[in-house]
Amino acid sequence: MADTNRGVVYQGPGKVTVEDLDYPELELAEQDGRKLEHGVILKVLATNICGSDQHMVRGRTTAPAGLTLGHEITGEVVELGRDVEFIKKGDLVSVPFNIACGRCRNCKERHTGVCENVNRARPGAAYGYVDMGGWHGGQARYAVVPYADFNLLKFPADRDTVLAKLPDLAMLSDILPTGYHGAYTAGVTTGSTVYVAGAGPVGLACATACLLLGAAVVIVGDMNTQRLEQARGFGCETIDLSRHENVPEQIEQILGVPEVDAAVDCVGFEARGHGPEGSAGEQPATVLNTLMDITRAAGGLGIPGLYVTDDPGAPEERAKAGQLGLRFGLGWAKSHYFVTGQCPVMKYNRQLMMAILYDRVSVARNVNAQAIPLDQAPEGYAEFDRGAATKYILDPHGAVGAAA
């Protein structure tokens, strides 16, 4: 007999609840009962609250009420579809938040964030996310993963080792690869100076990745003093943007020059103005314009921060359609290059897994990961929305708590 299922459900702006759900089946009801014989059912061991989820919960997207949330999933395989060959029951696995078929041109070219076959509306899909294909979210006791042989990253270590490192390994589904992607595509390497915009979990994961890549100096900018303190705790320089509007001047005080080699936007479309005057209101293009200002000529900008095509809660009409007031001429004049879009998690997750298993990186500590029971998800969302310097891991079966 199947176990019972519960999950986190978006009820409308500002409200999530934990509800009883149907036990998963290997089909996608939102796509006419599409069969998923290539999929598996996971017992979810860890599933995280993400800033991207928070955008939906704030009402800043067109997400429908009743959507089961969650795209950061780590679990144990408990049921196999008929066509699954290489994944086995009992395997402990990480799930990339991108859903990918492994068969289309983009997947074959490792652009798994824009798979052509898993979303009827446009390229790219994710679990429990608005306009991303109708796939059920993973903030639940059990979840379905399609194309399992392709999508799942099996942990090679023994079970005890995996469970002991579960808080770190839980970051492989999204924020560590996403932060690494932002840093890597911006050109961060040995000796680089880097500015990371945003000290939320993705920003802190990005700063962690910058240090892993060999950056000499990582400067993190934010308005949240607790999050900035978290960044300083593992070796970053910081700029309090609620006090300082002139970011180049602050960078010059740190580096001796008002520019960095590379910059990463880990904020996205809900950016606020800098300084005491600007911090109260949204200015969606603030971060991108600042990064063009402070990045050296011929430098790179990584942009893993989320931007949307429809933002019904935006402060101005153009921003509601995803149109931002960018100083693009400045970027052009400085020969900047920009890399945007979803992180293709499978480009990075295996090597980052090995860095975790062999103690080369401690991302859970750096992002202040904290496990809470699934039923406390509404409180976790509320605390995160108030700016908690914490990455909340939902723990449906007590596995993360046991590891801690």
Side-chain angles (χ1 to χ4, degrees), residues 55-398:
H55 292 308
M56 288 188 291
V57 173
R58 289 182 186 134
R60 296 301 295 267
T61 71
T62 56
L67 177 69
T68 304
L69 299 173
H71 56 270
E72 300 189 19
I73 309 167
T74 307
E76 177 180 356
V77 177
V78 294
E79 185 175 333
L80 302 170
R82 179 195 62 206
D83 298 334
V84 177
E85 293 188 69
F86 307 114
I87 294 293
K88 306 300 180 188
K89 285 185 181 181
D91 285 348
L92 302 182
V93 295
S94 178
V95 184
F97 78 88
N98 327 106
I99 301 173
C101 72
R103 297 155 167 79
C104 69
R105 174 181 176 178
N106 283 344
C107 283
K108 289 178 179 179
E109 294 177 358
R110 302 188 76 192
H111 301 301
T112 52
V114 281
C115 173
E116 298 173 331
N117 291 329
V118 288
N119 184 349
R120 291 178 176 177
R122 64 184 187 190
Y127 304 90
Y129 207 82
V130 59
D131 298 330
M132 296 299 283
W135 301 88
H136 291 297
Q139 288 176 8
R141 288 171 56 83
Y142 295 90
V144 169
V145 175
Y147 303 104
D149 283 325
F150 183 67
N151 281 301
L152 292 178
L153 174 65
K154 179 182 174 181
F155 298 130
D158 64 89
R159 186 181 184 89
D160 288 344
T161 298
V162 171
L163 292 178
K165 293 183 176 292
L166 194 53
D168 287 292
L169 294 170
M171 305 303 151
L172 289 172
S173 56
D174 185 352
I175 69 165
L176 183 55
T178 292
Y180 190 96
H181 176 64
Y184 182 80
T185 57
V188 177
T189 187
T190 305
S192 294
T193 59
V194 192
Y195 179 74
V196 177
V202 171
L204 295 174
C206 179
T208 300
C210 290
L211 295 172
L212 185 63
L213 285 163
V217 183
V218 180
I219 305 168
V220 180
D222 203 292
M223 300 175 185
N224 185 311
T225 56
Q226 286 185 311
R227 290 177 174 180
L228 291 173
E229 183 179 354
Q230 190 72 23
R232 289 193 294 272
F234 61 94
C236 300
E237 302 287 341
T238 62
I239 299 174
D240 185 346
L241 299 173
S242 68
R243 298 174 55 202
H244 302 291
E245 182 176 3
N246 191 324
V247 178
E249 183 179 86
Q250 296 302 307
I251 289 175
E252 186 169 20
Q253 289 186 16
I254 297 168
L255 297 177
V257 292
E259 62 183 15
V260 293
D261 297 323
V264 189
D265 174 7
C266 295
V267 178
F269 72 102
E270 289 192 67
R272 294 181 175 273
H274 297 161
E277 299 295 325
S279 59
E282 284 191 28
Q283 297 178 28
T286 297
V287 170
L288 292 174
N289 286 332
T290 299
L291 297 196
M292 286 186 280
D293 193 22
I294 55 94
T295 302
R296 70 174 182 85
L301 278 65
I303 310 174
L306 176 67
Y307 288 87
V308 293
T309 54
D310 296 290
D311 177 9
E316 57 186 57
E317 288 303 312
R318 290 192 310 162
K320 290 180 180 179
Q323 299 176 26
L324 307 181
L326 295 182
R327 296 184 63 202
F328 192 74
L330 175 62
W332 190 94
K334 295 176 77 173
S335 292
H336 286 156
Y337 66 88
F338 302 72
V339 180
T340 68
Q342 285 186 38
C343 166
V345 171
M346 276 191 270
K347 274 191 177 181
Y348 312 106
N349 63 350
R350 182 172 295 278
Q351 53 267 49
L352 291 172
M353 172 188 71
M354 297 303 287
I356 289 170
L357 291 175
Y358 288 91
D359 299 319
R360 299 302 182 189
V361 65
S362 299
V363 64
R365 178 196 64 199
N366 291 357
V367 302
N368 192 26
Q370 178 180 328
I372 60 175
L374 182 68
D375 283 341
Q376 289 183 17
E379 291 84 353
Y381 270 95
E383 288 293 320
F384 189 40
D385 193 46
R386 286 192 287 266
T390 304
K391 175 67 171 177
Y392 288 105
I393 304 175
L394 302 180
D395 191 5
H397 297 276

Side-chain angles (χ1 to χ4, degrees), residues 8-61:
V8 181
V9 179
Y10 171 65
Q11 301 292 1
K15 186 177 182 181
V16 297
T17 58
V18 181
E19 305 287 342
D20 291 334
L21 304 174
D22 292 336
Y23 189 82
E25 296 184 12
L26 292 172
E27 67 177 33
L28 185 60
E30 288 77 3
Q31 293 187 13
D32 304 321
R34 179 178 176 185
K35 299 300 181 184
L36 303 176
E37 295 292 355
H38 44 67
V40 301
I41 296 175
L42 294 185
K43 178 181 179 180
V44 177
L45 300 181
T47 177
N48 312 330
I49 296 176
C50 180
S52 298
D53 300 320
Q54 198 72 64
H55 292 308
M56 288 188 291
V57 173
R58 289 182 186 134
R60 296 301 295 267
T61 71

